[in-house]
Amino acid sequence: LTGREPTQVVVTHYHSDHTAGLPAAREAGAELWCTARTRDDIRTRNQNAAVQALGDARLVPEAGEARIDLGGRHVRLIALEGHTASDVVALVEDSEVVFAGDLLWYGMFPNFVDAQPSRLTP
């Protein structure tokens, strides 16, 4: 949308519909972010090309958060549980924008294949 290649890509969880594009993002020079658990789940459960793309991914602490500085705009990466055992939410600090992966489902019943429904409630 911006006419530029992405510089940062956040892997919200290991499901292949969220990871299949990682090799292309890496090839474009993007820095990848995920939790160690997500990286390990991609390796053991997906076993696809995304595995190689995550070789030097930046890790979000499992019980904490990390920050990305986009040159004046900051994004908090927060590790949570709910849709999977290791989800990441990206919160743009100076706006009301949150990227929640599949932790948030709008207008439909959430997918509970790997979910822990008790963790989805506030």
Side-chain angles (χ1 to χ4, degrees):
L1 294 175
T2 65
R4 299 181 353 200
E5 297 289 341
T7 59
Q8 310 289 322
V9 172
V10 177
V11 183
T12 59
H13 60 289
Y14 82 91
H15 292 157
S16 60
D17 61 321
H18 290 259
T19 62
L22 294 179
R26 196 72 185 111
E27 186 175 307
E31 185 171 44
L32 305 181
W33 294 79
C34 65
T35 65
R37 173 78 182 261
T38 295
R39 182 195 58 208
D40 295 345
D41 283 347
I42 290 169
R43 285 183 179 146
T44 60
R45 300 176 95 171
N46 292 8
Q47 299 176 355
N48 59 21
V51 172
Q52 288 77 28
L54 290 171
D56 61 348
R58 300 283 307 265
L59 296 180
V60 178
E62 297 282 338
E65 61 183 71
R67 286 173 48 105
I68 299 174
D69 181 350
L70 297 175
R73 174 159 274 171
H74 296 95
V75 179
R76 289 175 52 205
L77 304 179
I78 305 165
L80 299 168
E81 293 179 57
H83 179 63
T84 70
S86 181
D87 299 289
V88 173
V89 169
L91 171 67
V92 182
E93 289 185 337
D94 62 344
S95 72
E96 296 180 3
V97 175
V98 175
F99 297 93
D102 285 342
L103 279 171
L104 176 65
W105 290 63
Y106 182 74
M108 63 187 301
F109 193 80
N111 176 331
F112 283 158
V113 173
D114 290 316
Q116 299 169 12
S118 63
R119 302 277 195 196
L120 289 168
T121 57

